[in-house]
Amino acid sequence: MSSLFGSKTDPCSLVTVAEAQQALGEPVAEGTPSEPRTCLFKAHRSEGNTVTVQLHDTSGQDRRAWFNKERLRRDSRLIPGIGEGAVRVDAASLSRLTFLHEDEFVTVIVASTKQKYLADAVTQLSRTVAERYGASVTATIPSTPSAPIAAQESPRDAGSRIAPITLTHTRPTPDPGQDGPKKSLSIDPSNLIGTWHTRVSRGTTQHDLLLVIKPNLEWSLSSMMEFDGILNAESGLWSLERANTFKGLGWKGTYRITAPNTFATSGSVQANWKRLVIDQNPSRIPAELWNLRREATSVPVFQLKTVDPDLVGQWEGSGTYAGGPATFVWAIQPSAATDLLIVDSLKGTVQTKDGLSQLQPAQKKQQRVSVIAVNDHGLTTTDGKINLKWNKLQPPQSTETRQL
């Protein structure tokens, strides 16, 4: 069965001039076929700024092999909620997104030297194209703007363990000439009570941070990171080829079934695992953080690996990662597609020094962080060198959650 439009779909029918203009941020001409099954929208003033829609008509086997290769590139990002799976590659003046629908895939490209938000533009336009093409499009949770981490992954460490994020792994402070949060000498600590969230990036990995400050001014910080990839697990050995990393690098170790619905792993991830039944939420991860995880990518894996049937399902585990205690959730598909979620935690108390509220970790080796600004919807923390902005989360209104 082909897509809703079938194999003779005109790619120029999938995007309007107004939509192409919105994506580029400048007036564009009508779309014109540039080659079979490709439509090109050019900007009036700069023909190098374009929107391209391409329907791929290569053989099914070639399409699948290409898509699977794309999703494992280090510079690619898996995008939830578009078709049966979507992958985006961003460059300085171009963003390209490809999504699958049944046995076909469509590529949307936004190229511009003027558009500052190429990734957002191509993602939004691709959602529109997918709807017209008959592919499924699901809503996603609005994301908190990511704050890039100064230290990026290098080829040497890209396939190794990624250290958990702490309060001080945040974005650089603004230049002195820029507007930014001002230090306050009189913040009432009671205004810090609540649940706060921010999102930061380290290399190709996103981290969701959840800070919970209780009425007694004790606080807990949880850091969550997610990895997609392909799992090979048989005869007591497992290896996980992570997406978005260098080819040939990943995680590996041994596993053993310890009892019905439980198993243990060693190696890159050392943990004891217990099966979660359908719709069961993990017990060791804060509900607010669990609800902030990405939508399941559902990206098909075409170069199938072997997976021990006893490991298929969703699991919660506890153990060690990067030298410290951690909690895990591991979703393992029969197709070998896998999602691994890692959460580590830190605790402490709010203390006041010279009128300034500080988050003092219980572990002496951890650096304290000061709160320098508070408003109705957020707060800003700093360690004296770098700042991090947090948004306040409202109490959950429903027990409904999404599946990993």
Side-chain angles (χ1 to χ4, degrees):
M1 180 177 178
S2 62
S3 70
L4 179 65
F5 285 82
S7 60
K8 297 182 179 180
T9 302
D10 178 4
C12 291
S13 69
L14 299 176
V15 174
T16 67
V17 171
E19 291 163 348
Q21 180 171 309
Q22 182 178 7
L24 286 176
E26 58 181 313
V28 301
E30 290 282 348
T32 57
S34 61
E35 59 183 71
R37 308 204 75 191
T38 299
C39 184
L40 186 66
F41 295 80
K42 296 182 179 180
H44 284 305
R45 295 183 178 180
S46 177
E47 292 190 351
N49 296 343
T50 61
V51 168
T52 305
V53 181
Q54 183 176 12
L55 309 180
H56 300 257
D57 61 1
T58 54
S59 69
Q61 183 176 2
D62 291 341
R63 282 198 303 270
R64 294 177 176 185
W66 181 88
F67 186 85
N68 201 41
K69 181 180 178 181
E70 286 292 291
R71 70 184 291 272
L72 293 174
R73 287 176 49 153
R74 182 175 182 269
D75 60 347
S76 69
R77 182 180 296 274
L78 299 176
I79 305 299
I82 303 179
E84 298 167 19
V87 61
R88 191 184 72 216
V89 177
D90 301 321
S93 58
L94 179 149
S95 283
R96 166 170 56 84
L97 188 149
T98 299
F99 67 86
L100 278 87
H101 175 53
E102 296 175 351
D103 200 31
E104 302 178 3
F105 67 82
V106 179
T107 294
V108 180
I109 302 173
V110 178
S112 175
T113 57
K114 298 180 180 179
Q115 172 62 272
K116 296 181 179 179
Y117 306 102
L118 285 169
D120 291 340
V122 77
T123 300
Q124 184 57 46
L125 185 60
S126 296
R127 292 175 66 85
T128 300
V129 171
E131 287 183 323
R132 290 207 179 103
Y133 198 65
S136 62
V137 177
T138 58
T140 58
I141 292 180
S143 62
T144 303
S146 297
I149 299 298
Q152 299 294 317
E153 290 177 313
S154 66
R156 175 177 294 182
D157 64 15
S160 61
R161 305 179 190 181
I162 294 180
I165 291 293
T166 68
L167 281 168
T168 59
H169 286 156
T170 61
R171 63 185 180 186
T173 53
D175 294 333
Q178 297 178 336
D179 291 334
K182 303 298 188 297
K183 181 176 179 179
S184 171
L185 297 179
S186 58
I187 293 177
D188 184 351
S190 65
N191 292 332
L192 306 181
I193 297 171
T195 301
W196 310 86
H197 168 255
T198 192
R199 181 171 293 156
V200 296
S201 297
R202 183 184 182 189
T204 58
T205 305
Q206 281 196 344
H207 300 251
D208 279 288
L209 303 182
L210 188 78
L211 176 64
V212 179
I213 301 178
K214 300 178 181 180
N216 64 0
L217 298 185
E218 293 181 351
W219 58 263
S220 63
L221 172 71
S222 299
S223 170
M224 176 176 72
M225 45 189 168
E226 297 180 63
F227 301 99
D228 307 280
I230 303 174
L231 178 67
N232 190 79
E234 60 178 335
S235 303
L237 299 176
W238 69 270
S239 62
L240 195 161
E241 184 179 1
R242 283 170 41 203
N244 312 110
T245 190
F246 289 99
K247 183 178 180 181
L249 296 178
W251 294 330
K252 60 183 178 180
T254 65
Y255 73 91
R256 59 187 177 88
I257 308 297
T258 54
N261 296 318
T262 62
F263 73 101
T265 55
S266 66
S268 303
V269 176
Q270 302 179 37
N272 294 308
W273 302 87
K274 182 178 180 180
R275 184 185 298 276
L276 296 174
V277 300
I278 297 176
D279 296 330
Q280 180 184 358
N281 293 337
S283 60
R284 299 184 181 94
I285 298 177
E288 298 92 344
L289 193 61
W290 176 247
N291 290 333
L292 285 168
R293 69 196 185 283
R294 293 194 308 266
E295 295 281 355
T297 57
S298 301
V299 176
V301 178
F302 301 115
Q303 298 172 355
L304 296 182
K305 302 289 185 177
T306 301
V307 177
D308 188 331
D310 289 334
L311 302 186
V312 173
Q314 185 157 280
W315 306 82
E316 180 177 17
S318 60
T320 59
Y321 172 80
T327 297
F328 311 90
V329 174
W330 201 351
I332 302 173
Q333 306 287 343
S335 65
T338 188
D339 299 288
L340 177 62
L341 180 151
I342 303 175
V343 176
D344 75 298
S345 300
L346 183 68
K347 294 184 178 181
T349 57
V350 178
Q351 301 179 0
T352 302
K353 183 178 181 180
D354 299 327
L356 190 64
S357 297
Q358 297 181 338
L359 304 179
Q360 176 64 56
Q363 296 91 336
K364 294 183 179 180
K365 64 180 180 180
Q366 295 286 346
Q367 183 176 358
R368 71 172 61 92
V369 172
S370 299
V371 179
I372 59 173
V374 179
N375 56 44
D376 292 340
H377 304 291
L379 60 82
T380 302
T381 59
T382 185
D383 67 347
K385 297 180 181 180
I386 43 184
N387 293 349
L388 183 60
K389 293 183 178 180
W390 302 76
N391 293 324
K392 193 168 189 177
L393 296 182
Q394 299 302 318
Q397 300 176 347
S398 155
T399 57
E400 269 190 338
T401 58
R402 307 178 314 281
Q403 290 297 308
L404 181 66

